[in-house]
Amino acid sequence: MACTILGSSVSAQVPVPIPGQALKEVVKIIPLGLLPASTATTPGEPEPIEGGFTIMVMPDTQYYSQKYPDTFHKQTQWIADTAAKYNTIFVAHLGDITETAADAEWEVAKAAFARLDGKLAYLPTPGNHDYGGRLQVQTHRSPYTNFFPVASFQKMATFGGTYDKEPQKSDNQYHRFTAGGRKWMVIALEYAPRTDVLRWAGDVCSANPDHTVFITTHAYLDPRTNRRFPGAEAEAKKEKKKDDEGASAASTPAKARPDLNQGEDMWQKLVSKHGNIAMVLCGHASYTAHVTSTGEAGNTVHEVVVDYQRDVNGGDGWMRLLQFLPDGKTVRTRDYSPTLNLSCTMPDRCYDMVFELPKAPSGSAVSVLAGTTLQLAAAAPVAPASGKDKDKDKPKASANPVMDPIKDVPGLPRVLLIGDSISIGYTMPVRKLLEGKANVHRIPTNGGPTKNGIANIDKWLDNGKWDVIHFNWGIHDLKYMPDGKRQVEPEDYEKNLRALVKKMKAKGTKLIWATTTPIPDGELNPPRRFGQVKEYNEIAARVMKDEGVAVDDLNAWITPDLAKLQNPKDVHYSAAGSDKLGEKVAEEIEAALSGKQKRS
């Protein structure tokens, strides 16, 4: 089994002056992985990936629970507020939720994660500090389940199950979702998991051979050595060496050691054994490292540690974004702090990983389709038997309910929402406001620029009869690209809009155009210019007037409340902002359905 260390976490080093020797040319060379993210930064949030999705990764929050609760809340609120912008699917926590396992710290964590309830699936992982003492670690007794009960996770559409020997405990569980044309699974394991827990996790991997699997656990990879933490066998050898050298005979023999599996144990007993495991994510040791290893099936496993607890203020809110590109296999890493509004530019935190397809067990009915999607020829995979067999055929929703197809209520009109991430944000509010009045569908993706609409409009419209289509393109069209040009220049924007309107009108549908919402002034990432929204909206207004299409002026509607509803230095909105936009969209759709629609 080969093991390769990637990139700058080892080879790229920076000189750091030794304190007291500033006048001398004496430096201490420190690997980048052992430096905080604040070493090299740029203002603003990471750029979202058009057509992709994101898993947010929260490393050790122990000091936030104990001393800096505002930081914890800012992290989860930012995740909630930017869910549409990044198409966030899942939130993974890497352990040490608390510092001392005190009830007050658990309450802070519970309240912070509550900001995600009903919006995003999340999965905190217990770390050694979450047990409250060595005895509790050795016996795996943690207050975790008291504050995050299994029932709270069962409400999430992604929930798959818990450790089969302890179904009432939350410490070990797995979640499944489909995104980017691919099936994914996250298995969270307790700190230093027991051998039978590793057996259970292996059973879950085997029962879901067409899922690409992430393992989250607290302690696995050490950034100081770029190696997994030594396993029980290595520890036993060290103790024997001490005995041989005359150390106390009281050393604990290997056979009497507690049932605790460290990083190398986990690799040998679980990770290396299953060809569909693509990544192990962990915290515990500052700051970061990325290693690739090869499993027994020949699959590449990305092993990643992220932990910022040693940065100022217990970590300053730094977290990691795993941004999945539309190709279904490339994952981009970016580190960001919502408390500082800074992105890290260090090369060992800004890189791409490539995930191979899951390797099917010998004789399984798995086939590769379209380069990235896997399907089973036989029955869909299910979890190991857990007493819930009656629900095994019940379809699971995706982790992002905005993108889920909806089932029409007979007799109600059918509405289609077309738009970019702004529309993703207001889709759920519109559905809620029009419940019992209309079946509100949306395109199953970010609509992007008009050229994306031209490429996909036939597919989006080919789903029966639409009574009303509420649509917008603009923010992506006027975005500046690396060549210095806008993604769709004004003359092409007008030509594309006219073609799109004609396609939709051919369906005999009532159309509503939504004006493009404001872009803040100043430097933005990706680059857009404040004044160009007006230019593009004027082009759209001319097209809609010529075509007799009604206009929903969302720009004018939201402008008076921008300061409190739009995210800082961002085109996107807080949850309250999306609700506000949803009110206007629902009002215009209801007017169109009732025949009171105003023409432009």
Side-chain angles (χ1 to χ4, degrees):
M1 294 171 284
C3 180
T4 305
I5 297 175
L6 281 191
S8 56
S9 61
V10 174
S11 60
Q13 299 176 329
V14 297
V16 177
I18 296 177
Q21 297 178 327
L23 299 179
K24 299 180 181 180
E25 293 184 1
V26 178
V27 294
K28 182 181 180 182
I29 303 299
I30 299 179
L32 285 182
L34 301 184
L35 293 173
S38 51
T39 301
T41 62
T42 187
E45 300 173 342
E47 182 177 354
I49 302 297
E50 186 175 321
F53 67 93
T54 301
I55 292 179
M56 294 289 180
V57 179
M58 299 177 67
D60 307 42
T61 54
Q62 59 205 77
Y63 294 126
Y64 307 152
S65 296
Q66 184 188 43
K67 299 178 181 179
Y68 307 102
D70 286 350
T71 300
F72 210 151
H73 281 271
K74 284 179 180 177
Q75 284 186 313
T76 52
Q77 188 62 55
W78 179 80
I79 291 171
D81 289 344
T82 61
K85 173 179 179 177
Y86 292 106
N87 192 19
T88 302
I89 299 294
F90 198 79
V91 182
H93 188 289
L94 302 184
D96 277 0
I97 304 163
T98 67
E99 169 65 7
T100 68
D103 285 1
E105 296 173 22
W106 284 108
E107 291 291 355
V108 168
K110 181 179 178 181
F113 276 111
R115 294 175 181 270
L116 303 177
D117 286 342
K119 300 173 183 176
L120 284 168
Y122 58 88
L123 183 51
T125 302
N128 55 304
H129 281 260
D130 298 321
Y131 290 86
R134 185 173 182 179
L135 176 62
Q136 285 75 21
V137 168
Q138 292 180 352
T139 56
H140 289 88
R141 295 202 300 265
S142 168
Y144 176 42
T145 300
N146 297 338
F147 294 89
F148 294 92
V150 173
S152 68
F153 295 105
Q154 289 173 333
K155 296 176 183 177
M156 302 176 187
T158 57
F159 180 77
T162 56
Y163 171 40
D164 52 11
K165 299 291 182 63
E166 296 174 346
Q168 78 287 358
K169 291 184 67 176
S170 302
D171 300 48
N172 301 284
Q173 57 179 291
Y174 69 96
H175 289 238
R176 292 180 295 191
F177 54 89
T178 299
R182 192 168 178 176
K183 296 178 181 179
W184 307 88
M185 182 160 63
V186 178
I187 305 177
L189 301 178
E190 64 194 12
Y191 170 73
R194 290 161 285 177
T195 299
D196 194 61
V197 167
L198 298 181
R199 182 275 311 162
W200 163 80
D203 289 349
V204 172
C205 290
S206 296
N208 295 272
D210 63 340
H211 284 65
T212 303
V213 180
F214 292 176
I215 302 292
T216 62
T217 192
H218 182 55
Y220 180 90
L221 185 67
D222 188 344
R224 297 163 295 186
T225 63
N226 291 303
R227 298 183 182 278
R228 305 175 198 103
F229 286 106
E233 183 177 347
E235 292 298 321
K237 287 180 179 178
K238 280 202 298 187
E239 289 173 354
K240 184 177 186 303
K241 184 177 180 181
K242 287 180 181 179
D243 284 342
D244 293 343
E245 294 174 351
S248 170
S251 296
T252 306
K255 64 180 180 181
R257 293 177 63 84
D259 186 10
L260 305 173
N261 286 281
Q262 300 295 340
E264 187 61 32
D265 300 314
M266 295 172 66
W267 170 261
Q268 298 293 344
K269 298 178 182 179
L270 171 65
V271 180
S272 67
K273 303 291 185 184
H274 297 274
N276 55 342
I277 295 179
M279 175 176 272
V280 180
L281 283 165
C282 67
H284 187 61
S286 296
Y287 288 95
T288 189
H290 172 210
V291 171
T292 59
S293 301
T294 304
E296 293 181 3
N299 57 305
T300 297
V301 181
H302 295 272
E303 298 164 294
V304 178
V305 54
V306 189
D307 174 18
Y308 286 116
Q309 63 174 289
R310 294 188 183 278
D311 207 340
V312 295
N313 303 317
D316 252 345
W318 285 99
M319 66 175 79
R320 178 157 294 183
L321 286 70
L322 297 180
Q323 297 179 286
F324 292 70
L325 276 59
D327 65 4
K329 60 182 180 180
T330 305
V331 180
R332 181 159 297 160
T333 69
R334 294 292 185 266
D335 285 3
Y336 174 73
S337 165
T339 63
L340 303 175
N341 190 30
L342 293 175
S343 292
C344 180
T345 58
M346 299 170 73
D348 66 332
R349 292 134 222 240
C350 301
Y351 57 87
D352 288 357
M353 296 177 281
V354 177
F355 287 177
E356 300 172 350
L357 292 171
K359 299 292 192 299
S362 177
S364 70
V366 179
S367 62
V368 180
L369 301 176
T372 57
T373 305
L374 294 179
Q375 293 186 353
L376 281 179
V382 296
S386 61
K388 296 182 180 179
D389 289 345
K390 65 179 183 296
D391 295 328
K392 68 180 180 180
D393 295 323
K394 185 178 179 180
K396 287 270 186 182
S398 73
N400 189 346
V402 174
M403 299 300 182
D404 286 344
I406 68 166
K407 186 176 181 180
D408 282 333
V409 175
L412 295 183
R414 303 180 78 241
V415 173
L416 178 64
L417 301 180
I418 299 177
D420 50 35
S421 54
I422 306 299
S423 77
I424 294 174
Y426 61 64
T427 294
M428 296 305 283
V430 171
R431 282 179 178 163
K432 184 176 181 181
L433 290 167
L434 294 182
E435 188 174 359
K437 300 176 182 179
N439 298 304
V440 180
H441 299 253
R442 73 157 287 111
I443 58 174
T445 186
N446 183 322
T450 50
K451 62 183 181 181
N452 191 43
I454 294 292
N456 293 284
I457 191 66
D458 290 332
K459 177 176 63 178
W460 293 340
L461 296 179
D462 191 24
N463 190 18
K465 179 181 179 294
W466 299 109
D467 295 281
V468 172
I469 299 177
H470 185 283
F471 66 104
N472 166 266
W473 286 275
I475 281 181
H476 285 267
D477 293 84
L478 56 79
K479 178 172 67 177
Y480 278 86
M481 307 306 288
D483 62 3
K485 296 181 180 180
R486 286 170 284 191
Q487 185 159 210
V488 178
E489 292 289 348
E491 59 273 19
D492 290 326
Y493 180 65
E494 179 169 351
K495 181 178 69 175
N496 291 346
L497 274 183
R498 291 190 184 279
L500 288 163
V501 170
K502 290 185 184 300
K503 285 271 189 181
M504 291 184 283
K505 285 180 72 175
K507 290 283 186 176
T509 301
K510 292 182 179 179
L511 303 182
I512 306 173
W513 165 257
T515 58
T516 297
T517 50
I519 290 175
D521 204 356
E523 293 295 322
L524 299 179
N525 185 17
R528 295 178 172 100
R529 293 180 185 168
F530 169 75
Q532 291 177 347
V533 168
K534 181 180 179 182
E535 177 186 3
Y536 279 64
N537 273 339
E538 287 176 349
I539 292 171
R542 183 166 63 247
V543 172
M544 302 312 148
K545 183 176 181 180
D546 291 348
E547 298 293 339
V549 174
V551 174
D552 179 2
D553 197 351
L554 290 182
N555 186 294
W557 171 256
I558 201 69
T559 293
D561 297 313
L562 276 183
K564 64 179 180 180
L565 296 179
Q566 191 173 47
N567 296 331
K569 297 181 180 179
D570 189 7
V571 299
H572 298 89
Y573 295 86
S574 66
S578 292
D579 287 343
K580 176 80 173 176
L581 291 169
E583 290 175 20
K584 186 68 160 59
V585 174
E587 177 185 315
E588 294 294 333
I589 291 172
E590 196 165 2
L593 292 172
S594 66
K596 299 177 181 179
Q597 184 182 40
K598 296 179 182 179
R599 299 286 170 182
S600 59

